[in-house]
Amino acid sequence: LKPFGFQFAIDIGACVAPRVLLKGSQACGHRASASMGLVSVQQISKELIVACRALGHVLPEALATLVVSTVVNPTAGAFYAERPIDENDTRAVIEEAAKAILTPDQPGIHCLRLQASYEHAFAEIEQASTKQQQEAKDAQDRAVKWIAGFHAKFDQDFETLSGLYKKIFQFLLLRCTSPEGVARASQDQAVEREVAAALESVFPRVGLRAFAALTGAERAAQLQELAGIVLGIRVFNQHSSKGGGGLPSFAAMQAQLNIDEFLASLQREIDEVNEVCKQFADAIVVARSPPKGGPWDKPPSEAEVQQNRRDLLYHRQYLCYLLILQEDAAASSERLTSAFATLREDLQSLEALVGGRVSVPKEHVYPRFDSIARGYRTAYQEVQVLQVRSKLFGMLQELRRSYFPQLPAASADLLAKAPRRPEDGQLFHQEDEGEEPVDLEVLPGPMGAEGEGMSSPVRLTLDNTPDFLQIPLDFQGFCIHTLVTQNGLLVPGDPTMGVVKYAGRYCVFATDRGLADFCGNPDRFLSGVREACYKHPELIHLLRIHEDFPRASLFAIVQGTAGGHSVQQADVSTDTPLHFQESNIDKNYEWNEWKLRREALHMADIKRKATSTTQTALSHLRRETESQVYLPKDVATNTTTSKGTNPPRLKKYHRFLRGEPQPLQVAEIKFDL
């Protein structure tokens, strides 16, 4: 192992040193006047990815960030990430993280890889589904906003109302093409004809004037109701084999899922991993206190026992994911079965109601169509949940094929020869002999601890706590007493002995002695759990104690890395002109404020003027064009119908203005045009 470790250290140093020492050399000149620069965990994880890639290993970003966040500082006894990391510690963090990742057959890194892979895959699936739903919702909201804000010029504006009807049709294509809607309308002509026929049947064009008279909120509500009815019609057409193109059918969804086989596979996997966990836990317990005088050929070494402890953590995490999948799949399967039964009953009752009739009152069928649409959407959501759980189960099986440790031969031989109790077949522990039984009834309950406040442990049981079965267990229901006292051994607790509430946490224990010891000194065991997490970082996510380690929280890491791949390096350049030239030049722009004021006063003064004329001997039959002012018309109307009257026009003029002098007279002439 020494040559491999020596060569390994040289390779890591060669890959890491150029990047890190460059920053260090730049900072050496300023060390006397300024402190070292701080480096973020994201930057260190990118350096780690580059270093591992140079050695031929492709490292996911989530795993790299998780490993970097859980590197322990030996001087501080805590994670480097819990404090600001300077450039001096960056090299040490990268080297320790690279050694942990590239060391073969290390169960700790395999458990971290399992956690990062599962949570990252789950987050990516959820983000993809959320993005798809959000895109469809945004497209539908834009259509609804346009329809809700529509205003016709007048009641008989048929062209504008036809545009409104087309927009409603486009909204139905977005909403009724699939159970959850789509972001782009379908181009299938059969789907378009079916949706158009359903729209014309439910909402004919003659109802557009009444629809346009509604408020925006009322239109939006009517659109949602219309979409439910149209989708229900399409589902009913699919049930009757007369349409429903593009919609997933019940038979296809059930055949694709194969729920019974999926749940049976999950149960078989859980039973197998449960047995493996039991073997590992029993082997560790037997190796810790083997029976005296036993005929052991080759007892396991301390390193092998420690390896078994870390392998047990891997199997516990694998089992937790399986149990979560089983719980979600079983609940979703029950809801899906109920939704399918309700939907099938609604379709059959509607089919019996319609029968061979030509017309049916809308008051009877429209609510049934809407109910069918709601049931169909509910069933489709449960189908999607089961599909996601099936994908995650397949990913877990792929990870199992790559790494799934078994109990070593020495530990298996020791476990096979260990004495067991004849009544239940459990292991017989010699260390339990001679111990006095623990009386758990003397421990304070919820009523006895009221005077002492909530600073002391309280034992909750089924008798003294009404909602005992709904208590959320901390540490995933594992016994922290065994974890602290037996050097990282993780076994489940027994809630039948009671749940201990302390400092807002609900803890269960595997033995009576462990429960009593915890109540005697709870702070010792809670701090011991933190120390165990520093030794085994995979316990942070396994025990769900992310709030105690916010910088090493896998949920926060996955949330920051899922949904995209960060770019490690990029060459960027741009070319700009020396002097920018504005493309939009206003020829009438005026910068002088006083000139603008003068022009404004002049225009305001002209508005108050009126042109008056006087006819004289020199100005008759003449005019000055430059003195005429014609104000622009403010309002104009252009209609399709021209109507008017032609009244007679009267014209007056003065006589005897020229020629020989005569008395002035006013002549009136009537023109009939």
Side-chain angles (χ1 to χ4, degrees), residues 356-592:
R357 300 180 184 178
V358 179
S359 62
V360 182
K362 63 181 182 180
E363 294 82 5
H364 296 165
V365 294
Y366 284 178
R368 294 178 181 269
F369 282 134
D370 189 58
S371 176
I372 289 174
R374 289 197 302 269
Y376 185 74
R377 293 193 187 102
T378 302
Y380 185 75
Q381 291 175 358
E382 299 303 331
V383 168
Q384 285 190 320
V385 171
L386 288 173
Q387 289 177 348
V388 170
R389 276 30 180 200
S390 179
K391 290 180 182 179
L392 293 176
F393 180 58
M395 188 207 68
L396 287 178
Q397 288 183 323
E398 290 181 2
L399 292 174
R400 172 177 177 169
R401 285 190 287 269
S402 62
Y403 183 81
F404 194 79
Q406 299 292 336
L407 193 64
S411 300
D413 183 60
L414 177 63
L415 182 61
K417 297 177 181 179
R420 297 180 180 272
R421 297 175 182 174
E423 60 272 9
D424 54 3
Q426 299 295 327
L427 290 177
F428 181 77
H429 303 292
Q430 291 186 357
E431 61 181 6
D432 294 339
E433 295 181 353
E435 290 188 357
E436 297 182 0
V438 179
D439 186 10
L440 298 179
E441 300 299 330
V442 299
L443 299 177
M447 301 300 296
E450 290 181 355
E452 302 176 4
M454 299 304 296
S455 60
S456 60
V458 178
R459 177 173 173 261
L460 307 178
T461 61
L462 188 61
D463 298 331
N464 58 24
T465 306
D467 54 347
F468 180 78
L469 298 179
Q470 283 74 36
I471 294 178
L473 299 180
D474 288 290
F475 306 108
Q476 287 288 82
F478 290 105
C479 178
I480 61 175
H481 178 271
T482 308
L483 177 67
V484 174
T485 58
Q486 298 193 23
N487 195 15
L489 176 60
L490 193 63
V491 296
D494 187 6
T496 59
M497 294 185 299
V499 177
V500 178
K501 180 181 179 181
Y502 177 74
R505 296 183 182 272
Y506 297 90
C507 309
V508 290
F509 301 90
T511 60
D512 298 345
R513 176 62 59 185
L515 192 151
D517 292 346
F518 178 83
C519 293
N521 190 2
D523 294 331
R524 170 204 167 196
F525 292 97
L526 293 180
S527 61
V529 171
R530 189 174 187 86
E531 295 298 328
C533 290
Y534 288 136
K535 295 180 181 179
H536 309 287
E538 57 269 22
L539 285 172
I540 298 176
H541 186 69
L542 179 56
L543 300 180
R544 293 293 194 273
I545 48 177
H546 303 279
E547 64 276 4
D548 296 332
F549 301 90
R551 297 297 183 89
S553 173
L554 182 57
F555 291 140
I557 293 173
V558 169
Q559 190 176 9
T561 57
H565 302 282
S566 61
V567 179
Q568 302 299 325
Q569 295 179 353
D571 294 332
V572 180
S573 62
T574 182
D575 188 12
T576 58
L578 181 62
H579 299 288
F580 290 90
Q581 183 177 1
E582 179 62 40
S583 59
N584 183 18
I585 300 177
D586 187 5
K587 302 296 184 180
N588 298 323
Y589 175 76
E590 179 59 51
W591 62 271
N592 193 339

Side-chain angles (χ1 to χ4, degrees), residues 240-253:
S240 304
S241 301
K242 296 180 181 179
L247 295 177
S249 62
F250 306 134
M253 288 189 291

